[in-house]
Amino acid sequence: METRIDSQLLEKAVGELSKLPGIGRKTALRLALHLLRKDPEEAKALGESLIEMREKISYCARCHNISEEETCPICSDSRRDQKTVCVVENVKDVITIEATHQHHGLYHVLGGLISPLDGIGPSDIEIESLVERVSKENIQEVILALSPTLEGDTTNFYIFRKLNELPVKVTMLARGLSVGNELEYTDELTLGKSIQNRIPFS
Amino acid sequence: METRIDSQLLEKAVGELSKLPGIGRKTALRLALHLLRKDPEEAKALGESLIEMREKISYCARCHNISEEETCPICSDSRRDQKTVCVVENVKDVITIEATHQHHGLYHVLGGLISPLDGIGPSDIEIESLVERVSKENIQEVILALSPTLEGDTTNFYIFRKLNELPVKVTMLARGLSVGNELEYTDELTLGKSIQNRIPFS
Protein backbone atom coordinates (compact mmCIF):
# COMPACT_ATOMS: atom_id res chain seq x y z
CA MET A 1 0.00 0.00 0.00
CA GLU A 2 1.62 3.25 -1.13
CA THR A 3 1.18 5.87 1.54
CA ARG A 4 0.50 9.42 0.45
CA ILE A 5 1.99 12.01 2.77
CA ASP A 6 0.31 15.39 2.86
CA SER A 7 3.35 17.38 3.93
CA GLN A 8 5.96 17.95 1.22
CA LEU A 9 8.66 18.50 3.84
CA LEU A 10 7.89 15.18 5.51
CA GLU A 11 7.66 13.51 2.11
CA LYS A 12 11.11 14.88 1.19
CA ALA A 13 12.69 13.71 4.46
CA VAL A 14 11.12 10.26 4.03
CA GLY A 15 12.42 10.14 0.45
CA GLU A 16 15.96 10.99 1.52
CA LEU A 17 15.92 8.55 4.46
CA SER A 18 14.70 5.71 2.28
CA LYS A 19 17.70 6.11 -0.04
CA LEU A 20 19.80 4.63 2.79
CA PRO A 21 20.56 0.91 2.49
CA GLY A 22 18.11 -1.31 4.37
CA ILE A 23 15.73 1.59 5.08
CA GLY A 24 12.40 1.12 3.32
CA ARG A 25 9.65 3.71 3.04
CA LYS A 26 7.82 2.44 6.11
CA THR A 27 10.91 2.58 8.29
CA ALA A 28 11.81 6.00 6.88
CA LEU A 29 8.37 7.31 7.83
CA ARG A 30 8.72 5.87 11.33
CA LEU A 31 12.11 7.57 11.75
CA ALA A 32 10.84 10.91 10.42
CA LEU A 33 7.78 10.86 12.71
CA HIS A 34 10.08 10.01 15.62
CA LEU A 35 12.16 13.12 14.88
CA LEU A 36 8.99 15.22 14.64
CA ARG A 37 8.03 14.18 18.16
CA LYS A 38 11.46 15.03 19.56
CA ASP A 39 13.15 18.35 20.29
CA PRO A 40 14.15 20.28 17.11
CA GLU A 41 17.73 20.25 18.44
CA GLU A 42 17.81 16.49 17.93
CA ALA A 43 17.02 16.65 14.21
CA LYS A 44 19.49 19.52 13.89
CA ALA A 45 22.29 17.58 15.59
CA LEU A 46 21.65 14.54 13.42
CA GLY A 47 21.38 16.49 10.17
CA GLU A 48 24.44 18.62 10.82
CA SER A 49 26.59 15.69 11.94
CA LEU A 50 25.85 13.87 8.67
CA ILE A 51 26.66 16.91 6.53
CA GLU A 52 29.83 17.74 8.47
CA MET A 53 31.05 14.15 8.45
CA ARG A 54 30.64 13.88 4.69
CA GLU A 55 32.23 17.27 4.03
CA LYS A 56 35.28 16.87 6.22
CA ILE A 57 36.16 13.19 6.04
CA SER A 58 38.18 12.05 3.08
CA TYR A 59 40.69 9.27 2.55
CA CYS A 60 44.22 8.74 3.82
CA ALA A 61 46.69 9.23 0.96
CA ARG A 62 48.77 6.34 2.24
CA CYS A 63 46.42 3.55 3.34
CA HIS A 64 43.03 4.75 1.94
CA ASN A 65 41.36 4.49 5.34
CA ILE A 66 38.96 7.35 6.12
CA SER A 67 40.73 10.38 7.53
CA GLU A 68 40.08 13.96 8.53
CA GLU A 69 43.71 14.85 7.67
CA GLU A 70 45.83 13.93 4.65
CA THR A 71 47.26 11.02 6.64
CA CYS A 72 45.02 8.99 8.96
CA PRO A 73 45.63 8.69 12.74
CA ILE A 74 46.82 5.09 12.36
CA CYS A 75 49.44 5.91 9.69
CA SER A 76 50.55 8.95 11.71
CA ASP A 77 50.95 6.98 14.94
CA SER A 78 54.71 6.43 15.31
CA ARG A 79 54.14 3.87 18.09
CA ARG A 80 52.60 1.48 15.55
CA ASP A 81 54.70 -1.10 13.75
CA GLN A 82 55.47 0.57 10.41
CA LYS A 83 56.81 -2.67 8.93
CA THR A 84 53.61 -4.69 9.04
CA VAL A 85 50.64 -3.87 6.78
CA CYS A 86 47.24 -5.51 7.10
CA VAL A 87 45.29 -5.58 3.82
CA VAL A 88 41.51 -5.24 4.24
CA GLU A 89 38.53 -4.89 1.94
CA ASN A 90 37.00 -1.74 3.44
CA VAL A 91 36.95 0.88 6.19
CA LYS A 92 34.61 -1.17 8.34
CA ASP A 93 37.14 -4.00 8.44
CA VAL A 94 39.75 -1.60 9.85
CA ILE A 95 37.38 -0.78 12.70
CA THR A 96 36.61 -4.47 13.25
CA ILE A 97 40.28 -5.49 13.35
CA GLU A 98 41.20 -2.54 15.59
CA ALA A 99 38.59 -3.81 18.07
CA THR A 100 40.53 -7.09 18.47
CA HIS A 101 43.66 -5.19 19.65
CA GLN A 102 45.74 -7.89 17.96
CA HIS A 103 47.17 -5.90 15.06
CA HIS A 104 49.68 -3.20 15.92
CA GLY A 105 50.87 -2.36 12.41
CA LEU A 106 49.36 -0.29 9.60
CA TYR A 107 46.54 -0.97 7.12
CA HIS A 108 45.90 -0.88 3.41
CA VAL A 109 42.25 -0.52 2.41
CA LEU A 110 41.52 -2.03 -1.01
CA GLY A 111 38.06 -0.52 -1.38
CA GLY A 112 36.60 -3.75 -2.70
CA LEU A 113 37.49 -7.26 -3.84
CA ILE A 114 38.20 -8.64 -7.30
CA SER A 115 34.86 -9.90 -8.61
CA PRO A 116 34.63 -10.66 -12.34
CA LEU A 117 30.88 -11.28 -12.01
CA ASP A 118 30.40 -7.71 -10.75
CA GLY A 119 32.88 -6.34 -13.27
CA ILE A 120 35.46 -5.44 -10.61
CA GLY A 121 38.99 -6.12 -11.80
CA PRO A 122 42.38 -5.68 -10.09
CA SER A 123 42.73 -2.13 -11.44
CA ASP A 124 39.44 -1.05 -9.82
CA ILE A 125 40.79 -1.54 -6.31
CA GLU A 126 43.91 -0.29 -4.51
CA ILE A 127 46.28 -3.13 -5.44
CA GLU A 128 48.75 -1.10 -7.51
CA SER A 129 49.19 1.35 -4.64
CA LEU A 130 49.81 -1.57 -2.26
CA VAL A 131 52.55 -2.95 -4.50
CA GLU A 132 54.05 0.54 -4.71
CA ARG A 133 53.97 0.93 -0.91
CA VAL A 134 55.67 -2.43 -0.44
CA SER A 135 58.38 -1.51 -2.99
CA LYS A 136 59.07 1.92 -1.51
CA GLU A 137 58.42 1.63 2.23
CA ASN A 138 60.42 -0.80 4.34
CA ILE A 139 57.53 -3.26 4.76
CA GLN A 140 58.45 -6.73 5.99
CA GLU A 141 55.06 -8.43 6.34
CA VAL A 142 51.78 -8.09 4.47
CA ILE A 143 48.85 -9.73 6.30
CA LEU A 144 45.98 -10.55 3.94
CA ALA A 145 42.81 -10.10 6.02
CA LEU A 146 40.11 -10.60 3.39
CA SER A 147 36.89 -12.57 3.77
CA PRO A 148 37.18 -16.34 3.15
CA THR A 149 34.92 -16.12 0.09
CA LEU A 150 35.48 -16.73 -3.61
CA GLU A 151 36.17 -13.00 -4.15
CA GLY A 152 38.42 -12.80 -1.09
CA ASP A 153 40.43 -15.85 -2.12
CA THR A 154 40.79 -14.59 -5.71
CA THR A 155 42.03 -11.23 -4.44
CA ASN A 156 44.38 -12.92 -1.94
CA PHE A 157 45.89 -15.00 -4.74
CA TYR A 158 46.25 -12.02 -7.11
CA ILE A 159 48.00 -9.92 -4.45
CA PHE A 160 50.21 -12.85 -3.44
CA ARG A 161 51.43 -13.24 -7.03
CA LYS A 162 52.01 -9.49 -7.39
CA LEU A 163 54.10 -9.37 -4.19
CA ASN A 164 55.93 -12.61 -4.93
CA GLU A 165 58.94 -10.92 -6.53
CA LEU A 166 59.36 -8.43 -3.68
CA PRO A 167 61.31 -9.21 -0.47
CA VAL A 168 58.23 -9.30 1.75
CA LYS A 169 56.59 -12.02 3.83
CA VAL A 170 52.93 -12.52 2.87
CA THR A 171 50.62 -14.13 5.45
CA MET A 172 46.86 -14.56 5.67
CA LEU A 173 44.34 -14.95 8.48
CA ALA A 174 43.99 -18.52 9.81
CA ARG A 175 40.95 -20.54 8.79
CA GLY A 176 39.69 -22.69 11.64
CA LEU A 177 37.01 -23.30 14.24
CA SER A 178 34.96 -20.33 15.40
CA VAL A 179 35.48 -19.79 19.13
CA GLY A 180 32.34 -20.87 21.00
CA ASN A 181 30.89 -22.89 18.10
CA GLU A 182 30.26 -26.63 18.42
CA LEU A 183 32.62 -28.81 16.36
CA GLU A 184 29.53 -30.63 15.07
CA TYR A 185 28.24 -27.50 13.34
CA THR A 186 31.52 -26.52 11.69
CA ASP A 187 31.46 -27.09 7.94
CA GLU A 188 33.74 -29.80 6.55
CA LEU A 189 35.95 -27.42 4.58
CA THR A 190 36.69 -25.27 7.63
CA LEU A 191 37.18 -28.37 9.79
CA GLY A 192 39.59 -29.78 7.19
CA LYS A 193 41.58 -26.52 7.14
CA SER A 194 41.68 -26.47 10.94
CA ILE A 195 43.25 -29.95 10.92
CA GLN A 196 45.82 -29.00 8.24
CA ASN A 197 46.71 -25.82 10.10
CA ARG A 198 46.68 -27.34 13.59
CA ILE A 199 48.72 -25.46 16.17
CA PRO A 200 50.83 -26.58 19.15
CA PHE A 201 48.76 -26.87 22.33
CA SER A 202 49.65 -24.09 24.74
CA MET B 1 32.35 -6.05 20.70
CA GLU B 2 32.53 -2.28 21.12
CA THR B 3 34.02 -0.75 18.02
CA ARG B 4 36.35 2.17 18.43
CA ILE B 5 36.12 4.69 15.60
CA ASP B 6 39.17 6.79 14.93
CA SER B 7 37.35 9.74 13.37
CA GLN B 8 35.46 11.97 15.81
CA LEU B 9 33.22 13.23 13.00
CA LEU B 10 32.24 9.68 12.05
CA GLU B 11 31.82 8.79 15.73
CA LYS B 12 29.48 11.76 16.19
CA ALA B 13 27.39 10.88 13.13
CA VAL B 14 27.16 7.25 14.30
CA GLY B 15 26.14 8.45 17.76
CA GLU B 16 23.37 10.64 16.37
CA LEU B 17 22.10 7.97 13.97
CA SER B 18 21.95 5.34 16.71
CA LYS B 19 19.61 7.56 18.75
CA LEU B 20 16.93 6.74 16.16
CA PRO B 21 14.50 3.97 17.12
CA GLY B 22 15.53 0.53 15.83
CA ILE B 23 18.96 1.75 14.69
CA GLY B 24 21.76 0.11 16.68
CA ARG B 25 25.43 1.10 16.59
CA LYS B 26 26.27 -1.44 13.90
CA THR B 27 23.50 -0.26 11.58
CA ALA B 28 24.41 3.38 12.28
CA LEU B 29 28.01 2.68 11.26
CA ARG B 30 26.82 0.96 8.09
CA LEU B 31 24.63 3.95 7.19
CA ALA B 32 27.39 6.48 7.91
CA LEU B 33 29.94 4.55 5.82
CA HIS B 34 27.38 4.36 3.03
CA LEU B 35 27.04 8.16 3.05
CA LEU B 36 30.84 8.51 3.04
CA ARG B 37 31.01 6.48 -0.16
CA LYS B 38 28.33 8.58 -1.86
CA ASP B 39 28.38 12.08 -3.28
CA PRO B 40 28.56 14.82 -0.60
CA GLU B 41 25.33 16.22 -2.07
CA GLU B 42 23.50 13.14 -0.85
CA ALA B 43 24.48 13.60 2.80
CA LYS B 44 23.67 17.30 2.45
CA ALA B 45 20.19 16.62 1.02
CA LEU B 46 19.44 14.12 3.77
CA GLY B 47 20.76 16.29 6.60
CA GLU B 48 19.02 19.44 5.41
CA SER B 49 15.70 17.71 4.75
CA LEU B 50 15.64 16.42 8.35
CA ILE B 51 16.48 19.83 9.82
CA GLU B 52 13.99 21.68 7.62
CA MET B 53 11.23 19.15 8.26
CA ARG B 54 11.63 19.45 12.03
CA GLU B 55 11.85 23.24 11.94
CA LYS B 56 8.87 23.91 9.71
CA ILE B 57 6.37 21.18 10.54
CA SER B 58 4.16 21.72 13.55
CA TYR B 59 0.66 20.61 14.45
CA CYS B 60 -2.73 21.58 13.09
CA ALA B 61 -4.58 23.72 15.65
CA ARG B 62 -7.84 21.98 14.81
CA CYS B 63 -7.12 18.24 14.40
CA HIS B 64 -3.51 17.95 15.75
CA ASN B 65 -2.30 16.28 12.57
CA ILE B 66 1.14 17.47 11.42
CA SER B 67 0.96 20.63 9.35
CA GLU B 68 3.18 23.21 7.72
CA GLU B 69 0.44 25.84 8.18
CA GLU B 70 -1.74 26.65 11.19
CA THR B 71 -4.44 24.42 9.70
CA CYS B 72 -3.52 21.19 7.95
CA PRO B 73 -4.35 20.49 4.26
CA ILE B 74 -7.08 18.01 5.25
CA CYS B 75 -8.90 20.47 7.54
CA SER B 76 -8.50 23.23 4.92
CA ASP B 77 -9.91 21.10 2.10
CA SER B 78 -13.48 22.33 1.62
CA ARG B 79 -14.31 19.31 -0.57
CA ARG B 80 -13.99 17.01 2.45
CA ASP B 81 -16.99 16.15 4.56
CA GLN B 82 -16.75 18.59 7.49
CA LYS B 83 -19.42 16.74 9.46
CA THR B 84 -17.55 13.45 9.92
CA VAL B 85 -14.49 13.19 12.15
CA CYS B 86 -12.29 10.12 12.35
CA VAL B 87 -10.47 9.78 15.70
CA VAL B 88 -7.01 8.19 15.46
CA GLU B 89 -4.15 7.54 17.83
CA ASN B 90 -1.35 9.23 15.87
CA VAL B 91 -0.18 10.92 12.68
CA LYS B 92 0.83 7.63 11.10
CA ASP B 93 -2.76 6.36 11.37
CA VAL B 94 -3.95 9.40 9.37
CA ILE B 95 -1.58 8.42 6.56
CA THR B 96 -2.69 4.77 6.77
CA ILE B 97 -6.39 5.62 6.66
CA GLU B 98 -5.88 8.16 3.84
CA ALA B 99 -4.29 5.36 1.81
CA THR B 100 -7.56 3.37 1.93
CA HIS B 101 -9.44 6.26 0.22
CA GLN B 102 -12.50 5.24 2.28
CA HIS B 103 -12.70 8.20 4.63
CA HIS B 104 -13.66 11.53 3.14
CA GLY B 105 -14.17 13.50 6.34
CA LEU B 106 -11.77 15.13 8.80
CA TYR B 107 -9.52 13.69 11.52
CA HIS B 108 -8.77 14.19 15.17
CA VAL B 109 -5.36 12.95 16.31
CA LEU B 110 -5.32 11.99 19.99
CA GLY B 111 -1.53 11.73 20.28
CA GLY B 112 -1.73 8.50 22.28
CA LEU B 113 -4.17 6.15 24.01
CA ILE B 114 -5.32 5.97 27.62
CA SER B 115 -2.94 3.56 29.33
CA PRO B 116 -2.97 3.53 33.16
CA LEU B 117 0.05 1.18 33.19
CA ASP B 118 2.10 3.77 31.30
CA GLY B 119 0.67 6.61 33.36
CA ILE B 120 -1.27 8.07 30.41
CA GLY B 121 -4.65 9.40 31.49
CA PRO B 122 -7.47 11.04 29.51
CA SER B 123 -6.04 14.53 30.14
CA ASP B 124 -2.70 13.57 28.57
CA ILE B 125 -4.24 13.09 25.13
CA GLU B 126 -6.46 15.29 22.94
CA ILE B 127 -9.86 14.15 24.25
CA GLU B 128 -10.99 17.45 25.77
CA SER B 129 -10.32 19.23 22.45
CA LEU B 130 -12.34 16.54 20.63
CA VAL B 131 -15.32 17.09 22.92
CA GLU B 132 -14.98 20.82 22.38
CA ARG B 133 -14.85 20.39 18.60
CA VAL B 134 -17.96 18.23 18.65
CA SER B 135 -19.83 20.80 20.80
CA LYS B 136 -18.84 23.78 18.67
CA GLU B 137 -18.56 22.49 15.10
CA ASN B 138 -21.54 20.94 13.39
CA ILE B 139 -20.18 17.37 13.60
CA GLN B 140 -22.69 14.60 12.99
CA GLU B 141 -20.54 11.45 13.19
CA VAL B 142 -17.40 10.56 15.13
CA ILE B 143 -15.67 7.41 13.85
CA LEU B 144 -13.46 5.82 16.49
CA ALA B 145 -10.53 4.29 14.55
CA LEU B 146 -8.32 3.10 17.39
CA SER B 147 -6.43 -0.20 17.60
CA PRO B 148 -8.45 -3.16 18.88
CA THR B 149 -6.25 -3.45 21.99
CA LEU B 150 -6.89 -2.98 25.71
CA GLU B 151 -5.72 0.65 25.48
CA GLY B 152 -7.71 1.28 22.31
CA ASP B 153 -10.88 -0.18 23.77
CA THR B 154 -10.45 1.77 27.02
CA THR B 155 -10.01 4.99 25.07
CA ASN B 156 -12.98 4.17 22.81
CA PHE B 157 -15.17 3.64 25.84
CA TYR B 158 -14.00 6.82 27.56
CA ILE B 159 -14.63 8.95 24.46
CA PHE B 160 -18.00 7.29 23.88
CA ARG B 161 -19.12 8.23 27.41
CA LYS B 162 -17.85 11.79 27.01
CA LEU B 163 -19.74 12.26 23.74
CA ASN B 164 -22.85 10.49 24.96
CA GLU B 165 -24.63 13.68 26.01
CA LEU B 166 -23.93 15.45 22.73
CA PRO B 167 -26.12 15.08 19.61
CA VAL B 168 -23.56 13.10 17.63
CA LYS B 169 -23.49 9.60 16.23
CA VAL B 170 -20.48 7.61 17.48
CA THR B 171 -19.31 4.65 15.41
CA MET B 172 -16.21 2.46 15.51
CA LEU B 173 -14.29 0.37 12.97
CA ALA B 174 -15.74 -3.11 12.39
CA ARG B 175 -14.01 -6.09 13.97
CA GLY B 176 -14.02 -9.09 11.66
CA LEU B 177 -12.06 -11.41 9.42
CA SER B 178 -8.89 -10.08 7.83
CA VAL B 179 -9.26 -10.11 4.05
CA GLY B 180 -7.13 -12.92 2.63
CA ASN B 181 -6.69 -14.76 5.95
CA GLU B 182 -7.96 -18.32 6.39
CA LEU B 183 -10.96 -18.66 8.71
CA GLU B 184 -9.06 -21.43 10.50
CA TYR B 185 -6.37 -19.01 11.67
CA THR B 186 -8.69 -16.28 12.90
CA ASP B 187 -8.75 -16.03 16.71
CA GLU B 188 -12.01 -16.98 18.45
CA LEU B 189 -12.69 -13.50 19.76
CA THR B 190 -12.47 -11.94 16.31
CA LEU B 191 -14.46 -14.78 14.76
CA GLY B 192 -17.13 -14.32 17.46
CA LYS B 193 -17.32 -10.57 16.73
CA SER B 194 -17.56 -11.26 13.01
CA ILE B 195 -20.61 -13.48 13.63
CA GLN B 196 -22.29 -10.91 15.90
CA ASN B 197 -21.60 -8.13 13.39
CA ARG B 198 -22.46 -10.15 10.29
CA ILE B 199 -23.47 -8.09 7.27
CA PRO B 200 -25.99 -8.63 4.44
CA PHE B 201 -24.46 -10.52 1.53
CA SER B 202 -24.03 -8.18 -1.42
Side-chain angles (χ1 to χ4, degrees), chain B residues 16-79:
Chain B
E16 292 296 336
L17 281 168
S18 53
K19 284 184 193 167
L20 294 172
I23 308 280
R25 226 183 117 77
K26 276 203 163 179
T27 305
L29 179 59
R30 191 165 52 82
L31 297 179
L33 291 176
H34 166 88
L35 286 174
L36 281 177
R37 277 193 303 270
K38 293 279 170 177
D39 198 79
E41 284 311 308
E42 198 148 317
K44 206 172 166 213
L46 171 59
E48 284 176 352
S49 72
L50 297 180
I51 295 168
E52 200 187 0
M53 168 194 81
R54 186 60 190 89
E55 267 172 4
K56 296 196 181 157
I57 293 182
S58 61
Y59 293 91
C60 173
R62 193 176 177 196
C63 75
H64 311 287
N65 188 11
I66 52 167
S67 178
E68 292 166 32
E69 313 290 332
E70 209 199 319
T71 313
C72 77
I74 295 177
C75 282
S76 316
D77 186 346
S78 61
R79 290 163 306 175

Side-chain angles (χ1 to χ4, degrees), chain B residues 80-100:
Chain B
R80 296 191 73 118
D81 171 9
Q82 309 282 320
K83 295 180 179 173
T84 309
V85 170
C86 181
V87 176
V88 293
E89 179 183 346
N90 56 42
V91 172
K92 196 148 188 279
D93 294 338
V94 173
I95 297 170
T96 308
I97 291 179
E98 281 298 280
T100 69

Side-chain angles (χ1 to χ4, degrees), chain B residues 22-186:
Chain B
I23 308 280
R25 226 183 117 77
K26 276 203 163 179
T27 305
L29 179 59
R30 191 165 52 82
L31 297 179
L33 291 176
H34 166 88
L35 286 174
L36 281 177
R37 277 193 303 270
K38 293 279 170 177
D39 198 79
E41 284 311 308
E42 198 148 317
K44 206 172 166 213
L46 171 59
E48 284 176 352
S49 72
L50 297 180
I51 295 168
E52 200 187 0
M53 168 194 81
R54 186 60 190 89
E55 267 172 4
K56 296 196 181 157
I57 293 182
S58 61
Y59 293 91
C60 173
R62 193 176 177 196
C63 75
H64 311 287
N65 188 11
I66 52 167
S67 178
E68 292 166 32
E69 313 290 332
E70 209 199 319
T71 313
C72 77
I74 295 177
C75 282
S76 316
D77 186 346
S78 61
R79 290 163 306 175
R80 296 191 73 118
D81 171 9
Q82 309 282 320
K83 295 180 179 173
T84 309
V85 170
C86 181
V87 176
V88 293
E89 179 183 346
N90 56 42
V91 172
K92 196 148 188 279
D93 294 338
V94 173
I95 297 170
T96 308
I97 291 179
E98 281 298 280
T100 69
H101 301 291
Q102 296 299 316
H103 175 61
H104 311 293
L106 308 181
Y107 288 92
H108 191 85
V109 180
L110 294 177
L113 294 175
I114 297 173
S115 173
L117 281 177
D118 300 316
I120 303 172
S123 58
D124 297 317
I125 61 178
E126 296 290 345
I127 293 181
E128 208 46 62
S129 59
L130 171 66
V131 177
E132 205 185 312
R133 265 182 89 179
V134 174
S135 334
K136 288 184 182 164
E137 299 174 24
N138 181 22
I139 294 168
Q140 300 189 341
E141 180 176 355
V142 167
I143 304 169
L144 298 172
L146 307 180
S147 297
T149 57
L150 182 63
E151 289 80 12
D153 287 342
T154 306
T155 311
N156 274 340
F157 188 65
Y158 186 90
I159 294 175
F160 178 73
R161 276 202 331 199
K162 278 279 178 185
L163 296 178
N164 211 8
E165 301 134 32
L166 298 168
V168 65
K169 184 169 142 193
V170 180
T171 58
M172 59 184 260
L173 297 191
R175 275 80 163 114
L177 305 181
S178 291
V179 178
N181 270 12
E182 305 260 1
L183 189 83
E184 189 181 345
Y185 300 119
T186 306

Side-chain angles (χ1 to χ4, degrees), chain A residues 7-148:
Chain A
S7 160
Q8 295 219 342
L9 293 172
L10 177 59
E11 176 61 54
K12 198 176 163 205
V14 168
E16 292 296 336
L17 281 169
S18 54
K19 284 183 192 166
L20 294 172
I23 308 280
R25 225 181 118 77
K26 274 203 165 182
T27 305
L29 179 60
R30 192 166 50 83
L31 297 179
L33 291 177
H34 167 87
L35 286 174
L36 281 177
R37 277 194 303 270
K38 293 279 171 179
D39 199 78
E41 284 311 307
E42 198 149 317
K44 207 173 165 211
L46 170 60
E48 284 177 352
S49 72
L50 296 179
I51 295 169
E52 200 188 358
M53 168 195 81
R54 186 60 191 90
E55 267 173 2
K56 296 198 180 155
I57 292 182
S58 61
Y59 292 92
C60 173
R62 193 176 177 196
C63 76
H64 311 287
N65 188 10
I66 51 165
S67 179
E68 293 166 31
E69 314 290 333
E70 209 199 319
T71 314
C72 76
I74 294 177
C75 283
S76 315
D77 187 346
S78 61
R79 289 164 306 176
R80 298 190 73 118
D81 171 11
Q82 308 283 320
K83 296 180 176 172
T84 308
V85 170
C86 180
V87 176
V88 292
E89 178 184 348
N90 56 41
V91 173
K92 199 152 184 281
D93 294 338
V94 173
I95 296 171
T96 307
I97 291 179
E98 281 297 280
T100 69
H101 302 291
Q102 296 298 317
H103 175 60
H104 310 292
L106 308 182
Y107 288 92
H108 191 87
V109 180
L110 295 177
L113 294 175
I114 296 172
S115 173
L117 282 177
D118 300 316
I120 303 173
S123 59
D124 297 317
I125 60 177
E126 295 291 345
I127 293 182
E128 210 45 65
S129 59
L130 172 67
V131 177
E132 205 184 311
R133 263 182 90 179
V134 174
S135 334
K136 287 186 181 163
E137 298 175 24
N138 181 22
I139 292 167
Q140 302 190 341
E141 180 176 356
V142 167
I143 305 170
L144 298 171
L146 306 180
S147 297

